[in-house]
Amino acid sequence: MTRKTDLLRRLGALFGAAALSLVALPSGALAQARPTILRDRLTIVAAANAERVAALVTQGFLERYPEAAAPVIQALPTSRAVALFCAGVGVAMADMLVTSRRMSSSARELCGANGVEEAVELRLGLGAVVLAVRRGDPQPTLTTRQVYEALAAETAGERGFDANRAIVWSQLTIGLPNEQIRFILPAIGSGLRELFEDTVLESGCRPVRQIRMIFEAGFRREKCITLRVDGRVTELPASEITARLVASPRGTIAVTSFDDVTRSGGNLVALPLDDVSPTRNSIASGEYEPTRTIYLYAKRQHARTRGGVGVVRGIAEFLDEATSEASVGPTGYLGQAGLVPLPTADRLAQRIAAERMTVIQTR
């Protein structure tokens, strides 16, 4: 049986409600205390655009604790990943969640209602949503307002809203290139798409007078994020965007992550937005506004032993690795992959929270 087949089999068993039998670990750091456990490996759900972070920390965890069984990672759209983490406690439930958005109050309430009352929240670093082009293509300096006007299904006119008929950038503003408007966006439901909608589309949309005059907030947002469907916008899973951009016509712009641009080896170039270029310094300082924080959540209830029986071994060690300088420091592997480190004091605070397994309020 191949490694992939084995992981798929275990994943299916895990979330199919059948308890996994105990597989004892060899002696080592994780095996010093040996309560009876119900499952032999950690299970992690990750928002699709945070899957790489989860995978890198898992690799670091296994290198540090080679006697541990390889954790299972399941990548899902953000809302589904959060819902699965909050589904409950016990052997058939996930131990940890890695996501690019902080858990909302409604999600915490869902966790609490399902018995997840001891969730640890850690911040691992900063990422950003960026506009990127291929190396050698035109590199326009755009504003959030221009991006909204290029992508919106309808544009504001004197008598209301009309269908967006802009074909080239120069139709929007004098000085922009006479290039076709072509965009590649992450699919609806991904954390990266949600961040783009919140920090770019809505930011560019809110100053429009006709939008401000709409009383109902939900309708205002709908006007801001509803995109044209005339073929100028292509929506793809985030993992496919880089390859599609490289093969796209000249002038195509992709909405992607800062870490994807970093990993492209110079093949992708991030564009300035509102006169601010996305760099490590501008992201860390907050000057570049479309930023996101990567969060790691863990169930302290799964790490504890109740009545001599625990769910799984290794949560404390995984959190220790995730917040270590080797992971989140300026020269750590997450930084090399494009995640911008938190300030020194913040990194220390996260390590202390990991050591103490400080919980957030879920009720």
Side-chain angles (χ1 to χ4, degrees), residues 13 80 89 104 149 236 254 256 271 274 289 308 313 363:
R80 289 179 57 196
V89 295
S104 65
E149 290 177 342
L236 295 171
T256 187
L271 300 178
D274 292 329
E289 293 186 359
R313 187 180 295 118
R363 283 186 180 273

Side-chain angles (χ1 to χ4, degrees), residues 213-233:
M213 293 174 64
I214 299 174
F215 177 76
E216 204 273 312
F219 189 44
R220 285 200 305 271
R221 177 173 171 81
E222 183 181 353
K223 283 289 187 184
C224 291
I225 68 172
T226 300
L227 305 184
R228 57 198 304 174
V229 291
D230 57 358
R232 300 200 170 272
V233 177

Side-chain angles (χ1 to χ4, degrees), residues 114-342:
N114 289 329
V116 184
E117 299 175 350
E118 297 180 4
V120 180
E121 177 187 84
L122 301 173
R123 293 180 293 133
L124 301 185
L126 301 170
V129 59
V130 301
L131 307 181
V133 297
R134 294 179 308 187
R135 180 177 56 190
D137 277 9
Q139 299 178 24
T141 298
L142 301 173
T143 65
T144 52
R145 174 72 172 266
Q146 290 162 352
V147 174
Y148 158 70
E149 290 177 342
L151 296 180
E154 297 179 333
T155 55
E158 291 301 322
R159 298 184 179 181
F161 291 88
D162 303 311
N164 190 349
R165 293 186 173 85
I167 297 174
V168 295
W169 285 101
S170 57
Q171 289 178 266
L172 300 179
T173 305
I174 296 174
L176 289 181
N178 192 37
E179 296 280 350
Q180 295 276 326
I181 295 172
R182 295 190 182 94
F183 261 88
I184 302 173
L185 268 63
I188 292 175
S190 71
L192 195 62
R193 174 63 173 267
E194 293 168 354
L195 182 64
F196 175 69
E197 291 174 347
D198 292 347
T199 61
V200 178
L201 290 181
E202 287 210 68
S203 177
C205 175
R206 282 193 298 267
V208 177
R209 179 177 59 85
Q210 292 86 339
I211 296 293
R212 295 201 310 268
M213 293 174 64
I214 299 174
F215 177 76
E216 204 273 312
F219 189 44
R220 285 200 305 271
R221 177 173 171 81
E222 183 181 353
K223 283 289 187 184
C224 291
I225 68 172
T226 300
L227 305 184
R228 57 198 304 174
V229 291
D230 57 358
R232 300 200 170 272
V233 177
T234 300
E235 300 180 53
L236 295 171
S239 59
E240 299 177 15
I241 287 178
T242 298
R244 177 64 69 88
L245 178 58
V246 170
S248 293
R250 170 186 167 88
T252 302
I253 296 175
V255 173
T256 187
S257 64
F258 179 74
D259 37 322
D260 278 341
V261 172
T262 301
R263 294 200 306 270
S264 74
N267 291 317
L268 303 186
V269 178
L271 300 178
L273 192 60
D274 292 329
D275 293 321
V276 179
S277 296
T279 65
R280 291 183 182 277
N281 288 338
S282 66
I283 293 169
S285 68
E287 183 183 7
Y288 184 79
E289 293 186 359
T291 61
R292 57 180 176 154
T293 301
I294 300 296
Y295 288 90
L296 170 62
Y297 293 90
K299 293 173 183 173
R300 191 170 74 171
Q301 288 154 289
H302 281 198
R304 283 184 163 184
T305 300
R306 295 179 180 273
V309 178
V311 173
V312 68
R313 187 180 295 118
I315 289 180
E317 290 80 4
F318 192 95
L319 299 187
D320 183 47
E321 172 61 24
T323 56
S324 68
E325 284 294 283
S327 172
V328 298
T331 60
Y333 52 77
L334 291 183
Q336 293 173 9
L339 205 64
V340 176
L342 298 172

